[in-house]
Amino acid sequence: MVPGFHRPAAVYVDLAAIRQNIEQEIKHLQPGQKLFAVVKANAYGHGAVRIAQEAVKAGASGFCVAILDEALELRRAGIIAPILVLGVTQPEYAALAAANGISLTVPSLKWLKDVQTNLAGNNLQLKIHLAVDSGMGRIGFSEDSEFNAANDFLLNNPNFDVEGMFTHFASADSADDTYFQGQVDRFTHFKKLLKVKPRWIHVDNTAASVFNKKVHSDLVRFGIGIYGLNPSSNPTSPDLPVQIKLKPALSFVSELVQVHTIHQGQGVGYGSTYIADKDQIIGTVPVGYADGFIRKFQGFKIKVGNEFCPIVGRVCMDQLMVLLPYEMAVGTKVVLISNNPAAPNSIKKAADYVDSIHYEVACLLDDRLPRKYYN
Ligand SMILES: *Cc1c(COP(=O)(O)O)cnc(C)c1O
């Protein structure tokens, strides 16, 4: 993938906002609680290495990523703090993780046995976190017998350092706590079965922490909050109030590369879904769905100069067109996504428009867009 350095389109990230969001969360932690910054998926599209470096400055104690390669990227960049891979890593890569001091998630007893086979022979100890499936239905132990057997397997086993045990909530961002509480109870049950002694027992994601769910967690896996976004984003219900001040960090900015007038009856874009009913001024913006700005954004209003202008015609792969209220110069600034949470083109409003969540809108922004950092 080639980042487009010679095209006027980029994702801007306000690093002061990133640091401030983490600092606010650290002040909000329970006594003794640590913050692990979740920087999976290229830090939710913000750029993993740079965000991790800022997170260290702001006081993060460690990191969570989704896949081993993301952890290795951080190690290559000189990040020495603990890193936990949250997804399932194939046993054959366990030695690579161990050699780099990267912690892996244990989904099952079979996985442990396969890893043991792979580690045997080389003098490596792997740091692990036991995952408990308390109701997410995704990964981890869900049967007492298997969890007990894993504990027996790990007792006095020199190939493993049981650093943690965790679970993940399906609905910590919901006003109704019933399912959440069921998961807490299920996890508490598994904690009682422990024979090994993990240093960190953790459950909190951003939502559980900022909505004050008040459950025991030695560390908070702080993800969406880093980026200044309310985890309860949902197109159909209002956001729950967050206990800390969050400031969105990301904006997506381009500029007009062409402005021209089309006449009555002329169409715009593939399929001519927009037909001018009179003379209209059309501006062309050099970004499209290949940049992660999906076709569903047709009709969404983005800011051109000082005006909010609708995207007309279908979003193309690499370009899109806007309807301008008056003649504007080539080079006029275009803000597709604003970091101002009150703006009509905030990432939350953009996500609502395409029936999604801001997590997804941010993650979709492609590597072709350079990330530019300020503050
Ligand atoms: C992604 C993820 C998180 C972070 O979630 P946020 O809602 O972004 O805070 C925490 N824990 C696990 C297991 C995850 O997969």
Side-chain angles (χ1 to χ4, degrees):
M1 171 56 65
V2 187
F5 292 116
H6 303 93
R7 167 181 74 158
V11 170
Y12 287 81
V13 180
D14 178 353
L15 294 176
I18 297 284
R19 290 190 303 272
Q20 182 190 309
N21 293 329
I22 294 171
E23 285 159 7
Q24 293 280 320
E25 172 64 10
I26 287 175
K27 280 192 207 140
H28 172 75
L29 293 176
Q30 296 162 16
Q33 226 176 19
K34 300 277 184 231
L35 182 147
F36 270 36
V38 182
V39 294
K40 61 192 179 191
N42 201 25
Y44 298 35
H46 294 63
V49 168
R50 196 60 191 268
I51 298 301
Q53 288 163 342
E54 296 304 308
V56 168
K57 284 187 214 162
S61 302
F63 294 92
C64 296
V65 294
I67 66 175
L68 181 56
D69 302 86
E70 293 171 344
L72 292 168
E73 181 189 28
L74 297 184
R75 284 283 181 259
R76 277 197 299 274
I79 300 284
I80 54 171
I83 305 174
L84 169 61
V85 178
L86 295 167
V88 178
T89 306
Q90 285 160 292
E92 56 261 48
Y93 305 128
L96 179 60
N100 285 279
I102 293 163
S103 311
L104 296 185
T105 289
V106 181
S108 66
L109 176 60
K110 163 110 175 47
W111 185 92
L112 275 176
K113 290 184 170 164
D114 290 347
V115 166
Q116 167 105 317
T117 311
N118 274 279
L119 288 178
N122 44 43
N123 227 348
L124 290 168
Q125 191 183 51
L126 179 69
K127 296 182 184 23
I128 53 170
H129 290 231
L130 303 170
V132 172
D133 178 9
S134 61
M136 179 71 181
R138 194 166 68 175
I139 57 171
F141 294 91
S142 54
E143 301 293 338
D144 292 8
S145 54
E146 189 185 354
F147 190 70
N148 284 330
N151 271 269
D152 291 336
F153 181 82
L154 288 168
L155 269 181
N156 307 316
N157 186 325
N159 283 125
F160 297 98
D161 170 12
V162 188
E163 192 177 60
M165 163 170 164
F166 74 101
T167 197
H168 191 51
F169 294 124
S171 50
D173 58 341
S174 161
D176 180 351
D177 269 349
T178 320
Y179 197 83
F180 175 87
Q181 198 51 51
Q183 283 199 259
V184 172
D185 295 345
R186 188 88 187 120
F187 188 64
T188 304
H189 165 78
F190 277 93
K191 279 200 282 189
K192 289 187 188 134
L193 300 180
L194 274 175
K195 292 176 197 161
V196 290
K197 298 220 166 350
R199 201 168 324 147
W200 291 311
I201 297 184
H202 50 110
V203 300
D204 277 18
N205 52 4
T206 299
S209 178
V210 300
F211 300 138
N212 263 351
K213 298 291 187 184
K214 296 222 165 30
V215 283
H216 173 78
S217 188
D218 293 327
L219 59 88
V220 175
R221 303 186 304 265
F222 193 59
I224 198 74
I226 297 176
Y227 314 102
L229 303 175
N230 183 323
S232 75
S233 172
N234 181 325
T236 54
S237 57
D239 286 355
L240 298 178
V242 183
Q243 302 276 325
I244 62 171
K245 209 169 135 267
L246 293 174
K247 189 173 192 303
L250 178 145
S251 45
F252 177 19
V253 179
S254 184
E255 61 185 54
L256 295 177
V257 292
Q258 175 143 32
V259 177
H260 63 294
T261 299
I262 61 167
H263 304 293
Q264 191 197 357
Q266 280 191 292
V268 174
Y270 292 115
S272 308
T273 58
Y274 174 82
I275 304 272
D277 54 356
K278 55 177 191 213
D279 282 7
Q280 294 285 14
I281 306 167
I282 299 295
T284 303
V285 184
V287 301
Y289 63 77
D291 299 296
F293 203 73
I294 61 178
R295 291 167 89 242
K296 268 195 176 174
F297 278 113
Q298 179 171 349
F300 186 62
K301 287 186 178 160
I302 59 180
K303 197 171 185 193
V304 186
N306 292 318
E307 308 289 340
F308 285 94
C309 305
I311 295 169
V312 288
R314 291 190 185 137
V315 173
C316 311
M317 187 186 291
D318 316 291
Q319 307 181 60
L320 59 82
M321 283 67 81
V322 283
L323 181 63
L324 303 179
Y326 47 81
E327 186 80 25
M328 291 188 197
V330 165
T332 300
K333 182 174 173 183
V334 176
V335 180
L336 295 107
I337 294 173
S338 169
N339 62 356
N340 173 1
N345 59 341
S346 71
I347 193 164
K348 156 76 177 150
K349 290 276 168 34
D352 287 353
Y353 189 82
V354 297
D355 264 321
S356 181
I357 53 174
H358 43 35
Y359 290 78
E360 189 178 35
V361 172
C363 284
L364 283 178
L365 295 174
D366 195 80
D367 287 352
R368 193 166 76 173
L369 297 164
R371 269 52 178 180
K372 296 193 177 170
Y373 299 99
Y374 63 102
N375 287 340

